[in-house]
Amino acid sequence: MDQPRAAARLRVLLGQLGRRSAGAVIAHPTSGAVPPAGFHPQQFQYTRDNSVLTLEQRQFYEDNGFLVIKKLVSDADIECFRNEFERICRKEVEPMRLVVMRDVTIAKSEYVPSEKMITKVQDFQEDEELFRYCTLPEVLKYVECFTGPNIMAMHTMLINKPPDSGKKTSCHPLHQDLHYFPFRPSNNIVCAWTAMEHIDRNNGCLAVLPGTHKSSLKPHHYPQWEEGVNGIFHGIEDDDENNDQVHLVVEKGDTVFFHPLLIHGSGRNKTQGFQKVCMNSTAFSKDEWVRNKNVKIYKHLKDLWLLSKLAFSLVYLPGNTFVYVMLFKLLSVRIRVTSGFQPY
């Protein structure tokens, strides 16, 4: 072989050795290892580059759509939130725009102001003590890993799951949170869910379908349960009871972060106690919103009655069969900036 041809083949070989093939497996260091100089981690679709999550945690969220951080919220803070919830139940405080809900099996004639009658308080952004949950630095530092630094609280709840009546009414059917949100993109939204006590399958823990955050938004409806279902407790239409649910057993202060497309729900509370969790769905700055062209529409009169208490406009479309509710007005009432610059 002459020298010019040998040199040309050598250049081709060296070029091939220096080029990563499309199917190459890339090894990453564990959380205890120090990455070598010039190391560049793989691209993640569902988390942003940060110094808080390990590569293993980012990969777990990438694959499964949820992540559990143990003992994130202190016992002292949780007791403050519990005390404020009890004050609301006793009507010692009545924050503006707060929606107070009770179980569908509790008759109006049985209603008395107490913790045992209230199953959820929703949109607590006007309650200074409860809203402090949304601004806890230890929570926000993780939220930022999913949304970026300009964080806004979009939807707040404290759930007080009652003992089940035997008719499944304490269950929350499997659903996707994005069903309720008229803004996008979904990858910049995350829910923070904090246990206020030990929660397991006995008192109705969170159940998730890992990896379903990679699917599209599914049609939702009211499940046909014997005693009915609580207001706006929609579930996916193609719910398969034999699906591979993972039940998240958590301790007081543990916090689950999950993607709004992750299919999740909760089981029956088989105890005589009330199971409590704090929840906050957060998103990026309003300046980055993309409004969904397929605006979320509520077709159930029960939903209209519940949501009409939140003071936003009803829109009647010509020739319609149902009353349609536009949710964009509602967002301006709910939204609160929790970190980053003021978007308005």
Side-chain angles (χ1 to χ4, degrees), residues 28-72:
H28 293 305
T30 63
S31 57
V34 177
F39 170 76
H40 298 288
Q42 68 186 75
Q43 293 295 312
F44 291 97
Q45 182 178 354
Y46 302 106
T47 56
R48 303 197 180 195
D49 290 341
N50 65 86
S51 59
V52 176
L53 299 178
T54 66
L55 287 174
E56 287 84 357
Q57 288 173 323
R58 293 185 72 182
Q59 189 61 56
F60 186 90
Y61 190 87
E62 191 82 9
D63 295 338
N64 297 283
F66 71 95
L67 185 67
V68 181
I69 304 298
K70 307 295 288 184
K71 300 296 291 183
L72 183 61

Side-chain angles (χ1 to χ4, degrees), residues 79-247:
E79 287 310 305
C80 289
F81 303 146
R82 180 187 296 272
N83 291 338
E84 182 69 1
F85 172 72
E86 291 174 356
R87 292 180 67 215
I88 291 172
C89 292
R90 295 191 298 267
K91 293 192 172 182
E92 294 176 10
V93 291
E94 299 185 45
M96 290 178 59
R97 302 188 180 94
L98 184 76
V99 177
V100 178
M101 304 178 73
R102 63 179 184 269
D103 193 271
V104 68
T105 59
I106 299 174
K108 290 183 179 180
S109 59
E110 300 173 358
Y111 178 77
V112 291
S114 76
E115 178 187 3
K116 293 183 178 180
M117 295 295 108
I118 306 301
T119 60
K120 181 195 293 187
V121 293
Q122 186 166 296
D123 296 329
F124 55 65
Q125 64 273 358
E126 300 294 344
D127 185 287
E128 183 176 350
E129 183 58 38
L130 287 184
F131 190 73
R132 193 169 58 81
Y133 166 72
C134 303
T135 64
L136 291 175
E138 57 268 37
V139 174
L140 287 178
K141 78 173 184 179
Y142 281 96
V143 169
E144 185 174 339
C145 299
F146 307 96
T147 67
N150 300 314
I151 303 168
M152 305 180 70
M154 315 300 294
H155 187 211
T156 54
M157 290 187 290
L158 192 154
I159 299 171
N160 186 42
K161 183 189 283 286
D164 195 80
S165 63
K167 304 297 184 179
K168 295 177 63 175
T169 57
S170 69
C171 295
H172 196 306
L174 291 174
H175 65 283
Q176 297 165 296
D177 284 357
L178 196 66
H179 168 68
Y180 299 100
F181 301 154
F183 47 86
R184 302 292 185 272
S186 61
N187 290 349
N188 289 353
I189 305 169
V190 70
C191 177
W193 181 104
T194 298
M196 299 178 68
E197 58 195 71
H198 171 81
I199 302 177
D200 56 26
R201 295 190 68 173
N202 200 37
N203 60 356
C205 65
L206 193 66
V208 300
L209 298 184
T212 51
H213 65 301
K214 299 178 182 179
S215 62
S216 58
L217 182 61
K218 297 179 178 295
H220 287 60
H221 67 161
Y222 273 118
Q224 299 302 308
W225 290 349
E226 182 179 347
E227 291 295 319
V229 64
N230 286 305
I232 324 181
F233 272 32
H234 300 164
I236 56 175
E237 291 185 0
D238 58 347
D239 182 10
D240 179 3
E241 293 186 358
N242 298 316
N243 52 37
D244 296 325
Q245 297 183 23
V246 172
H247 296 87

Side-chain angles (χ1 to χ4, degrees), residues 15-26:
Q16 292 294 327
L17 289 174
R19 183 182 305 135
R20 181 184 297 155
S21 65
V25 177
I26 307 169

